[in-house]
Each structure stands twice: as C-alpha cells, then as structure tokens.
Amino acid sequence: MRPITAQDFATRLARGAAQAREAGFDGLLVAPGADLAYFADYLPIATTERITLLVVPAEGEPTMIVPVLEHDSAAATAAAGAFRIVDWRDGEDEYVPTAALLEAAGRYAVSDATWAMHLLALQEKLPGARFESISHALPMLRAVKGPDEIDRLAAAGAAADATFEDILSVRFAGRTENEVAADLARLLREHGHSQVDFTVVGSGPNGANPHHEAGERTILDGDMVVLDFGGIMDGYGSDTTRTVHVGEPTDEEHEVFEVVRHAQQAAFEAVAVGVPCQDIDRAARAVIADAGYGDHFIHRVGHGIGMTTHEPPYMVEGEERPIEAGMCFSIEPGIYLPGRFGVRIEDIVVADHDGAHRLNNTSRELHIVR
C-alpha cells in the first residue's frame, strides 16, 4: 500500500482551501481530531488545554500553531513541508499569535472537535470574525476519497470480513453477549485493527435495539443474533453487520431476514454517480414497507466512513446531495420487532462511475451458528 506523502497532504490542503473559497469562507480552522489527521497527518499525543490549530486560508500558505514542546512532533509527520509551523511557549497568550493568522473580520469554517475555550478566546480577540461548524458549512470536505484512502478502507473491510468468518466457528449458545463481543474485539485486532470502536452483539429481543450494547444476557438456542462491529486499521474505518441464528430459524424469522437481504441488495443496486443520497434510503425502505415492516425500519440506511466510522455523506430522506465517485458509505437496512428479535445486514460500498463496489464480501445469507 503506497504511503500517503507530503504532496498528497498538500493536494488535500489545496482542495480544502478551494472548497472554503467557493463557499465564501476566508479559510478553515482545523483542530486535533480526524480533520487534522486528514490535512496534516498529525494528532497530538494528548489533546489538552494548550491550543493546536491548523489555519488553512482560502488564499495563502497554511499554517499550524502548536505549543513549542510539541513542535518537533508536528514537524516529523508525513505532511511536513505542506504547511508552515508557528509555536508558542507556556506563559504567553497563545491566542495573540493564533489571531494574527486570521482576518480580523473573516468568516471561517471550524472543526467540530475544536474546544469551546479556544474558539471563545478567538472570538474575544477577533469580535468581527464569524465562525461556523465545518460539518454544517462544508459537510463534504472529506467525503470523496482518493485511491489511497479507498485502498485502506478496502483493507479494513477485508479484516472485518475475516473477523466474521472466524466468529462463525465460535460457540454462541450458553455464552453471554459480552463473551462473544470480546471474541469480536480480539479477532479484529488479530486481523490488523489498531482500534476497536464497537462490538454490538444483540441476541434475541436485544437485537431489536439497533445500538444495543453487549451485556450479560446468555445467548439461547433459537436466538437471532445481530453482530455489528468495526474499528480503525491504518487510520481508516471498518463497519459491517451480519445477523446469525443459533440453530434453525422459524419461518417468520427466515421471512424477515430475506426482506432485509433484498432491501440491502436493492439499495446497493440503486447506487450511481449523480443519484441523490436519499434515493439509496428510499430503495431499501420501499422493499421493507412493501413487505409490511415499514414501521420497524427505524434509522437511516447508511452513513459515510473514512478516518471516522460515521461521517458525511448520509443516506437518509432529505439529503438531496448527489453521490460522487469516491464516496464511501454503509448500506445497512434493518427490521426490529420489539421484544422479539432484529435483523440488520451492512456492507461498506464505494461509488464509482460504473455503480457501486462492496468493501465487505462475506455471504449475506443467514448463517446458522451453534
């Protein structure tokens, strides 16, 4: 896998500046978090009260201000050379040199992760400036992935697939949800994940809660079990869901599963460049509604994924923004029958000019576990 180079980061910075300019902003203010990792390959060892901020002007040279004790770390990243570094020392008013990088009456899109204390201090120094949330002002800033990002997402997806294949040989009946969740976390790490973000194990009636946290419920023979798991590998996310059954399912359970499987396929086939994001949600929802389960599909059909596991674009009613080549997102319809069971099937897909390509490729059939 080709390393992401200083030139790649320079290209990202130039694209970010262009998007800010086109949207009428004087620049971007990028705080520690996924945005800073994306633009500068940098995450401070500890996000503290000391300000670290990358200023990406709509016109001009990007500059990152850092505490002097972290200067060397900031200068040692793969993005070094793509931006200037300015530092400040403890005991100084760090907001004076930070404010000097901004237009006194400028309009800036600010990372959602920016600490309130830093933004409020900048507002005090620059009362004529305007600050808006990046996710509101420029939601597509990181939405279109480059080839190197897609390669990393594909590798993370393959690792999640390998995790699922391995979990099928684990015993479910008689064990707790927490025990199976621990197996998922262990397997994700064994297959290359540096970070495990979630391991949903929703057995029986718990599967009817889409965000159920694994607990001490003992999994029983006859349970439907929703497995939703993922994390970070080489800086990029995985997220997949498969639903398994302990022993043979009833006719009703099999019917519900098949409705969800067909809904997931319909949504996948609806993906095309230029299609509004909401149409992907509509495609899955129509299948579920036609089968009589419309009231039991209670969430959007998908979300973007990249350096975080949930980010724009969102596949949801009301999102009219068109799909672009390089967008990566989940397709995860579900049916949830309160007090009884739930079913969800999820793949990460990437949009291309010839449609969509799945980054999760394990079987979407109903697997029987023991």
Side-chain angles (χ1 to χ4, degrees), residues 272-277 279 320-325:
V273 171
V275 168
C277 291
D279 283 10
E320 298 178 351
R321 185 173 283 105
I323 292 172
E324 299 178 46

Side-chain angles (χ1 to χ4, degrees), residues 107-356:
R107 179 177 176 232
Y108 293 93
V110 184
S111 288
D112 295 351
T114 306
W115 278 29
M117 64 180 287
H118 298 319
L119 186 57
L120 291 170
L122 286 175
Q123 287 180 323
E124 185 175 337
K125 295 291 184 188
L126 301 169
R130 294 168 54 198
F131 303 98
E132 299 181 31
S133 160
I134 273 183
S135 66
H136 174 73
L138 295 168
M140 297 296 111
L141 191 64
R142 295 189 285 113
V144 175
K145 272 59 180 182
D148 294 324
E149 294 182 281
I150 292 170
D151 286 347
R152 285 162 171 78
L153 285 164
D161 284 354
T163 294
F164 178 68
E165 296 287 1
D166 286 350
I167 205 70
L168 291 175
S169 64
V170 166
R171 185 163 187 85
F172 282 70
R175 302 177 71 218
T176 67
E177 293 173 340
N178 278 334
E179 289 174 321
V180 175
D183 289 335
L184 285 170
R186 172 181 56 80
L187 289 166
L188 282 169
R189 291 190 176 95
E190 286 180 4
H191 287 292
H193 280 61
S194 59
Q195 176 180 315
V196 176
D197 287 341
F198 49 91
T199 51
V200 172
V201 180
S203 64
N206 289 340
N209 176 359
H211 281 176
H212 171 70
E213 292 189 10
E216 286 303 312
R217 182 183 184 275
T218 298
I219 301 170
L220 304 175
D221 187 56
D223 277 348
M224 193 81 87
V225 186
V226 178
L227 305 172
D228 183 354
F229 52 95
I232 301 296
M233 177 173 157
D234 292 327
Y236 283 79
S238 68
D239 184 2
T240 189
T241 306
R242 293 291 184 264
T243 301
V244 301
H245 197 277
V246 185
E248 290 300 319
T250 65
D251 289 345
E252 181 190 24
E253 288 172 328
H254 190 267
E255 174 195 327
V256 171
F257 184 91
E258 285 300 299
V259 171
V260 174
R261 188 171 69 85
H262 287 119
Q264 209 258 0
Q265 181 64 23
F268 173 75
E269 292 175 0
V271 176
V273 171
V275 168
C277 291
Q278 67 182 3
D279 283 10
I280 312 309
D281 185 279
R282 288 175 175 179
R285 204 165 297 276
V287 173
I288 292 173
D290 287 349
Y293 295 100
D295 291 341
H296 299 289
F297 180 14
I298 56 177
H299 55 73
R300 67 195 175 205
V301 83
H303 58 81
I305 189 169
M307 301 187 84
T308 56
T309 49
H310 280 212
E311 61 186 46
Y314 297 106
M315 305 296 120
V316 65
E317 182 66 32
E319 179 52 86
E320 298 178 351
R321 185 173 283 105
I323 292 172
E324 299 178 46
M327 284 183 171
C328 297
F329 49 88
S330 69
I331 297 178
E332 50 179 306
I335 293 175
Y336 309 95
L337 303 179
R340 302 183 61 205
F341 66 90
V343 175
R344 183 166 64 256
I345 301 172
E346 174 186 14
D347 295 323
I348 300 302
V349 306
V350 55
D352 204 345
H353 292 288
D354 60 352

Side-chain angles (χ1 to χ4, degrees), residues 9-181:
F9 286 106
T11 299
R12 292 180 182 182
L13 287 163
R15 189 167 61 244
Q19 289 188 43
R21 186 166 59 249
E22 290 164 7
F25 288 90
D26 291 290
L28 310 175
L29 304 185
V30 183
D35 289 336
L36 190 62
Y38 177 80
F39 283 112
D41 189 39
Y42 183 55
L43 283 175
I45 293 174
T47 302
T48 69
E49 71 281 2
R50 295 183 174 97
I51 191 170
T52 294
L53 193 69
L54 174 65
V55 179
V56 184
E59 301 283 357
E61 182 181 20
T63 301
M64 186 159 66
I65 186 160
V66 300
V68 67
L69 74 165
E70 295 176 1
H71 181 113
D72 289 351
S73 296
T77 69
F83 51 85
R84 185 170 63 106
I85 298 176
V86 171
D87 55 46
W88 59 275
R89 296 177 180 275
D90 285 351
E92 298 176 351
D93 183 347
E94 63 266 41
Y95 301 108
V96 171
T98 305
L101 300 173
L102 310 183
E103 299 289 337
R107 179 177 176 232
Y108 293 93
V110 184
S111 288
D112 295 351
T114 306
W115 278 29
M117 64 180 287
H118 298 319
L119 186 57
L120 291 170
L122 286 175
Q123 287 180 323
E124 185 175 337
K125 295 291 184 188
L126 301 169
R130 294 168 54 198
F131 303 98
E132 299 181 31
S133 160
I134 273 183
S135 66
H136 174 73
L138 295 168
M140 297 296 111
L141 191 64
R142 295 189 285 113
V144 175
K145 272 59 180 182
D148 294 324
E149 294 182 281
I150 292 170
D151 286 347
R152 285 162 171 78
L153 285 164
D161 284 354
T163 294
F164 178 68
E165 296 287 1
D166 286 350
I167 205 70
L168 291 175
S169 64
V170 166
R171 185 163 187 85
F172 282 70
R175 302 177 71 218
T176 67
E177 293 173 340
N178 278 334
E179 289 174 321
V180 175

